[in-house]
Amino acid sequence: TIGRIIFPTRNMMDILTHYQSPQLSLTLTGEEGPCGIAGENDPGYTVLLMPMKMAQQDYYTEGSESAQE
């Protein structure tokens, strides 16, 4: 089971703009392995994106005044 994977947001958003397909499939190889991104209407175009390591597991939730673990 893969717990949590983080991708660089700016890279992911840029990559998604290059696809013509309305839906994409993500192929995960593990928590630290590359993710393949492919679209049905984009044959021959697959992008590999490496996840980032999470240095800190704190996160902000709406309505809270401080980070929670």
Side-chain angles (χ1 to χ4, degrees):
T1 302
I2 298 174
R4 185 181 294 179
I5 298 178
I6 299 172
F7 292 105
T9 306
R10 190 175 308 164
N11 293 357
M12 178 70 95
M13 296 304 291
D14 183 46
I15 288 167
L16 297 179
T17 64
H18 294 280
Y19 284 94
Q20 300 298 313
S21 300
Q23 294 183 338
L24 301 175
S25 62
L26 302 174
T27 304
L28 302 173
T29 60
E31 290 183 13
E32 294 185 17
C35 171
I37 304 171
E40 186 177 296
N41 298 340
D42 300 285
Y45 186 69
T46 300
V47 173
L48 295 178
L49 182 63
M50 291 298 295
M52 298 171 29
K53 285 198 177 234
M54 186 171 31
Q56 186 174 331
Q57 291 192 12
D58 294 346
Y59 63 93
Y60 174 81
T61 57
E62 191 172 332
S64 69
E65 294 186 25
S66 63
Q68 300 178 4
E69 289 188 17

